[in-house]
Amino acid sequence: MNVFDVYPLFDITPVRAQGAYVWDDKGTRYLDLYGGHAVISIGHSHPHYVKRIARQLYDIGFYSNSVQIPMQQELAEKLGQLSGYEDYSLFLCNSGAEANENALKLASFQTGRKKVISFKGAFHGRTSAAVAATDDAKIQAPINKTDNIIFLPLNDISAFCSALQEHGPELAAVIVEGIQGVGGVQLPEPAFLKALAAGCEKVGALLILDEVQSGYGRSGKFFAHQHADIKPHLITMAKGMGNGFPVAGVLIHPEIEAKHGMLGTTFGGNYLACAAALAVVEVIKEENLMENAQHIGQRLMNELRQFSGVKDVRGQGLMIGVELDKPCAPIRKQLLEEYQIFTGSSSDKNTLRLLPPLGIGLREVEKFLEAFEAILYQTEPQSI
């Protein structure tokens, strides 16, 4: 039997990782500025993370949600304190797509409606409702296609107001990413997010903030939407939440009432997942990683804006998109093969994505900038 071939793969086999670096089976060290799609939030193999999970495994790794699991409440309390959402409730699941699926379901339960506004360039996952709300027909099977999703241009308040006027009484939710990741690190403007929040309140729809990639301190605040000073009804999380362990969640507004059986999951909130997620929130707090993301990210973006050939630099904190005046694939390939640096791509072929661990330091930033400059200007970098 072979593995189902759906991923284009680099010819690299990582076998060990620490902090912002990974080593392959040949002993080559790579600087990881992509973190496996923004997953590595506190750094590879962080000692507190390893200790938390290993200790838990010796005690108990799994039981279902039919018993008391106090670690879930501990996680909810620490997450609420760190994020500023102490009055919300937490539903734990396994992936970003599952988090968005449950958020959309909750919105439909709460409103009794089924229309959803999403935005062009969006990526919300590959499960049924989440992929329907994703602006990519290539990943939608016939069974996923529905008339319930209305796609609008991002940051177009006029188009949103028109859609509200036409579909308001049918609208269950508006779903928007805190920062569009796959779409090329496109930021929703604060005024736009405020308009979405006000529009949802006006027609009785729920605002869902997809913070799967942009959350967990990556933007310099715990959630990217907090830069706009709004409070959505539902917030979805995953990726950086477990630093590589599959865990996700939905933060749920206190006005949404829980009922037994309305949501469910076999593996969500298991002991190991909670241990991983607790380690992450503890390290983010103790090591001031949000502050580091803000400081290092701003410095990195300022430096990148100085290079000729760079058309635009978008982002917040350590979620950065570098738009070039040509396709970025050859540059990404050169960074990887000649300088051993992982970076990411996006649906915009000219935009390179940077999503490093939140604790990354200036030494790693300078190493990348020197290699990037050498490629753009075809000069030899100095050794670091």
Side-chain angles (χ1 to χ4, degrees):
M1 183 183 293
N2 293 319
V3 175
F4 199 50
D5 186 11
V6 292
Y7 301 113
L9 303 177
F10 293 118
D11 189 20
I12 296 171
T13 305
V15 295
R16 184 168 69 89
Q18 185 70 49
Y21 292 93
V22 297
W23 286 259
D24 69 10
D25 56 352
K26 299 177 180 65
T28 303
R29 186 180 76 162
Y30 295 83
L31 174 59
D32 184 8
L33 298 185
Y34 192 54
H37 304 303
V39 167
I40 302 301
S41 52
I42 62 171
H44 293 281
S45 305
H46 190 287
H48 181 64
Y49 176 82
V50 172
K51 183 179 178 180
R52 261 281 197 179
I53 295 176
R55 177 65 264 170
Q56 186 59 49
L57 192 56
Y58 275 103
D59 295 333
I60 179 172
F62 176 80
Y63 206 79
S64 74
N65 283 299
S66 59
V67 298
Q68 298 286 331
I69 304 178
M71 291 177 75
Q72 294 181 355
Q73 184 59 39
E74 182 186 359
L75 174 59
E77 289 173 2
K78 289 185 175 180
L79 176 56
Q81 291 166 5
L82 192 60
S83 68
Y85 279 96
E86 293 179 87
D87 57 336
Y88 279 49
S89 298
L90 172 65
F91 175 74
L92 290 164
C93 50
N94 306 289
S95 71
E98 189 182 348
N100 283 330
E101 197 80 19
N102 280 291
L104 290 164
K105 187 187 296 185
L106 278 170
S108 188
F109 273 138
Q110 184 75 2
T111 63
R113 305 168 181 175
K114 57 185 180 180
K115 291 279 187 185
V116 173
I117 289 176
S118 185
F119 297 94
K120 294 178 181 179
F123 185 91
H124 297 296
R126 295 175 182 268
T127 54
S128 184
V131 77
T134 291
D135 183 31
D136 186 351
K138 297 190 300 294
I139 65 171
Q140 294 174 350
I143 197 171
N144 304 130
K145 296 184 186 300
T146 173
D147 294 330
N148 291 330
I149 309 298
I150 304 152
F151 286 106
L152 301 177
L154 189 70
N155 289 322
D156 190 332
I157 295 177
S158 176
F160 174 66
C161 290
S162 296
L164 274 191
Q165 191 168 6
E166 183 177 354
H167 300 287
E170 309 168 276
L171 197 62
V174 175
I175 185 168
V176 63
E177 290 162 275
I179 302 172
Q180 285 190 349
V182 174
V185 190
Q186 305 292 340
L187 279 69
E189 296 166 358
F192 179 70
L193 289 179
K194 289 179 184 291
L196 298 188
C200 285
E201 291 294 337
K202 180 179 179 180
V203 302
L206 271 57
L207 179 59
I208 302 171
L209 251 296
D210 177 346
E211 295 276 8
V212 167
Q213 187 173 133
S214 55
Y216 258 74
R218 182 153 295 281
S219 73
K221 291 186 180 289
F222 197 85
F223 293 121
H225 71 262
Q226 291 173 315
H227 289 276
D229 195 28
I230 61 164
K231 276 204 164 186
H233 301 93
L234 297 157
I235 306 162
T236 59
M237 315 164 293
K239 294 196 185 296
M241 186 174 182
N243 203 51
F245 196 98
V247 58
V250 186
L251 293 188
I252 303 166
H253 193 282
E255 291 181 1
I256 300 173
E257 182 182 353
K259 297 176 184 177
H260 287 177
M262 78 186 303
L263 303 179
T265 170
T266 296
F267 297 108
N270 67 74
Y271 290 92
L272 288 177
C274 286
L278 279 164
V280 169
V281 296
E282 288 160 359
V283 170
I284 288 175
K285 180 180 179 181
E286 291 302 316
E287 298 186 5
N288 299 312
L289 293 188
M290 285 188 279
E291 292 85 348
N292 190 71
Q294 180 66 34
H295 170 68
I296 297 293
Q298 191 60 58
R299 181 160 177 169
L300 178 52
M301 285 189 282
N302 289 342
E303 292 287 340
L304 286 165
R305 291 187 177 109
Q306 307 307 312
F307 293 139
S308 64
V310 172
K311 287 182 62 179
D312 192 17
V313 179
R314 298 181 295 273
Q316 286 174 332
L318 287 171
M319 186 169 179
I320 300 171
V322 186
E323 184 180 344
L324 306 175
D325 58 6
K326 57 189 173 184
C328 69
I331 292 175
R332 288 184 62 233
K333 185 172 186 289
Q334 206 169 345
L335 281 166
L336 187 60
E337 294 180 355
E338 296 182 24
Y339 300 98
Q340 291 76 54
I341 299 175
F342 277 104
T343 57
S345 61
S346 71
S347 61
D348 174 6
K349 65 180 181 179
N350 287 13
T351 298
L352 176 148
R353 273 192 294 167
L354 301 176
L355 302 161
L358 305 184
I360 197 165
L362 289 175
R363 180 179 177 84
E364 288 76 26
V365 166
E366 291 301 325
K367 180 176 181 177
F368 164 71
L369 288 171
E370 191 171 335
F372 192 59
E373 182 179 21
I375 293 170
L376 288 182
Y377 302 132
Q378 294 300 306
T379 60
E380 289 298 323
Q382 300 172 2
S383 60
I384 296 177

